[in-house]
Amino acid sequence: MSEIGMVLIGGMFILLLAGVPIAVTLGLLTVVGLWMADFSPLIMAQRLIAGSTVTSLLAIPGFILAGDLMTAGGLSRRLVRIASTCFGHFTGGLSMSTVAAGTFFGAISGSAPATTAAVGSIMIKELELRGYSRGYGAALATAIGPLGQMIPPSIPMIIWGVLAEESISKLFLAGIIPGLLAAAGFCLISVIYARRLNIPREKRPSFAEILAALRDGIWALLAPVVILGGIYGGIFTPTEAAMIGALYSLCIGLFVYKDLSWSQLPGILVGAMRTTTLIMFIIVTAYGFAWVIASERIPSQISEVLLGITDNPLLLLLLLNLMLLVLGAVMDTVSAMVILSGVLIAVGAQIGLDPIQLGAMVVINFAVGMVTPPLGYSLFVAASISGLSIERVTRHLWPFLLVLVVVVGLVAYIPAITLFLPALLG
């Protein structure tokens, strides 16, 4: 590796360990790299502008705002009620209701922490009242967070699509089956846990109760239909769908459910803008950093090192996934994807991995990182909501984490899991 490459990689580890924000780290290292390579500093400005003008990134603030409006407008609460009505009378029914609610909300928000916050704030207390331990409820709320990144729409899928220049719609489709497999695994854990603790079933709801829940929550149920149906029906693009989802959530919260007031909007908008700004700051500085490391051939050099370890594609896939799982546990998802995109694309091409399968595999690995100590954002959210320590939540998390790791393995070694739906729908 060149001297510039060693400075960039070593400097990144030093600055991150020192607690320097990732966006500042990337910006500083880009300037240093340009100076060492004797490039014009104007390149930094050009890359910042290039990174901020990618049209597909407009979907990010839309989906963030849509998720916040759904929570404040009562849509998420009604999704939870519908799930509880439909699944509550089964063994482990309330736990399965939490999984179902997380799946529904994940089909709207696109964010792991948002899914954990929206569903966990309601269900952790309910689970404890019905005989489940508070630690189990917090672990379950943590585990359903990644469903928001697997099931479309998914903010990390959008970011990867931009970085890898792949179809965002196809990446969305690639995450559906893995997300449903993870949800099914969580439901199985729910049944086993409920039987082991002899948690009684809920009373079977009457037809009138089911009808009432559906009538009350029909507008919430229609949200993913509007968003995903519009995308795959060719009515609008993922970027347009994000804005339509935000507008839909706003109108339903204000005028139909009336749980949302005009006075709440400034705070919701500021919160969504703050989250969007943090993500965009990382992305635009990473564009400059990616240009420098590409000019130094660092991605191809790292891929050559990996390929030098073994030429067996199966072993390379295993090494790649282990690396992603470890990095996902210690790095922010957006930062990790932006920094590693060149390396991952190069390695994927060398071993003949389909680009859509590779994108889904990367996103799902980093989704697992959302629930893994020490930097699992969904874990932090669930611990905060439940009032428990990270250690106590983690003790109950391992069965769910095992399900997610199994899903990662299936995605890596069975291409049809991610490629079937994109091929089916063209």
Side-chain angles (χ1 to χ4, degrees):
M1 188 179 292
S2 67
E3 181 184 354
I4 296 176
M6 289 188 288
V7 169
L8 293 177
I9 301 300
M12 180 184 299
F13 281 108
I14 292 170
L15 290 174
L16 290 177
L17 288 173
V20 179
I22 180 65
V24 176
T25 296
L26 295 175
L28 287 174
L29 291 174
T30 301
V31 173
V32 170
L34 290 172
W35 174 73
M36 292 182 66
D38 201 25
F39 286 121
S40 169
L42 289 176
I43 292 176
M44 179 65 176
Q46 292 171 352
R47 300 317 299 167
L48 288 174
I49 294 171
S52 63
T53 55
V54 179
T55 306
S56 300
L57 292 176
L58 287 173
I60 294 175
F63 284 125
I64 290 172
L65 181 58
D68 291 346
L69 288 170
M70 280 197 66
T71 302
L75 280 76
S76 58
R77 177 165 51 82
R78 286 169 172 84
L79 286 175
V80 170
R81 182 188 174 193
I82 292 172
S84 297
T85 303
C86 294
F87 298 99
H89 60 284
F90 294 111
T91 300
L94 195 63
S95 183
M96 286 195 286
S97 300
T98 306
V99 177
T103 305
F104 276 119
F105 192 81
I108 304 165
S109 72
S111 165
T115 302
T116 293
V119 179
S121 60
I122 300 169
M123 295 304 291
I124 290 175
K125 183 178 179 181
E126 289 296 319
L127 286 163
E128 187 177 22
L129 291 174
R130 307 295 169 81
Y132 296 86
S133 72
R134 195 170 187 82
Y136 174 86
L140 179 59
T142 301
I144 62 173
L147 298 179
Q149 291 189 189
M150 297 183 199
I151 296 172
S154 162
I155 292 172
M157 291 283 193
I158 295 170
I159 295 171
W160 182 264
V162 171
L163 295 172
E165 298 181 354
E166 295 294 338
S167 166
I168 293 173
S169 296
K170 287 184 177 181
L171 287 168
F172 278 179
L173 285 170
I176 293 177
I177 294 178
L180 294 178
L181 287 173
F186 296 159
C187 288
L188 178 61
I189 293 172
S190 299
V191 173
I192 294 171
Y193 187 89
R195 285 181 175 172
R196 186 162 63 86
L197 296 184
N198 293 319
I199 294 174
R201 297 185 184 186
E202 299 292 310
K203 181 176 69 71
R204 182 181 293 272
S206 65
F207 179 74
E209 289 173 327
I210 296 174
L211 199 60
L214 290 173
R215 188 185 298 116
D216 184 45
I218 186 64
W219 293 104
L221 282 176
L222 285 175
V225 176
V226 170
I227 294 171
L228 300 180
I231 293 173
Y232 297 115
I235 301 172
F236 37 72
T237 66
T239 301
E240 293 165 342
M243 308 308 168
I244 289 170
L247 180 61
Y248 180 90
S249 302
L250 175 66
C251 293
I252 298 302
L254 280 175
F255 305 119
V256 179
Y257 291 147
K258 299 180 180 179
D259 287 0
L260 185 64
S261 65
W262 291 103
S263 62
Q264 292 175 275
L265 293 183
I268 294 171
L269 288 170
V270 169
M273 289 170 61
R274 185 181 294 114
T275 304
T276 301
T277 301
L278 291 173
I279 293 174
M280 289 301 299
F281 191 18
I282 294 171
I283 290 174
V284 297
T285 52
Y287 257 70
F289 184 79
W291 188 90
V292 174
I293 65 171
S295 68
E296 292 297 310
R297 295 188 63 254
I298 294 174
S300 59
Q301 290 172 22
I302 295 176
S303 66
E304 288 168 6
V305 171
L306 286 174
L307 292 169
I309 296 173
T310 176
D311 58 358
N312 187 317
L314 298 180
L315 288 178
L316 274 172
L317 262 181
L318 178 62
L319 289 173
L320 200 59
N321 280 280
L322 289 174
M323 180 184 76
L324 291 173
L325 286 171
V326 172
L327 290 174
V330 297
M331 290 183 70
D332 170 75
T333 296
V334 177
S335 310
M337 286 199 300
V338 170
I339 293 169
L340 296 171
S341 58
V343 174
L344 296 172
I345 292 168
V347 174
Q350 287 286 340
I351 62 178
L353 206 60
D354 185 276
I356 298 299
Q357 182 189 4
L358 172 66
M361 187 181 79
V362 171
V363 170
I364 293 168
N365 267 289
F366 287 132
V368 178
M370 283 289 181
V371 306
T372 310
L375 293 181
Y377 291 159
S378 289
L379 181 59
F380 294 158
V381 171
S384 176
I385 293 171
S386 64
L388 300 176
S389 66
I390 297 292
E391 292 78 10
R392 187 171 171 187
V393 177
T394 304
R395 282 203 297 269
H396 294 269
L397 189 60
W398 297 111
F400 302 105
L401 197 55
L402 178 61
V403 168
L404 292 171
V405 171
V406 169
V407 171
V408 167
L410 293 174
V411 167
Y413 290 104
I414 306 178
I417 288 178
T418 50
L419 300 181
F420 172 73
L421 289 180
L424 182 68
L425 299 182

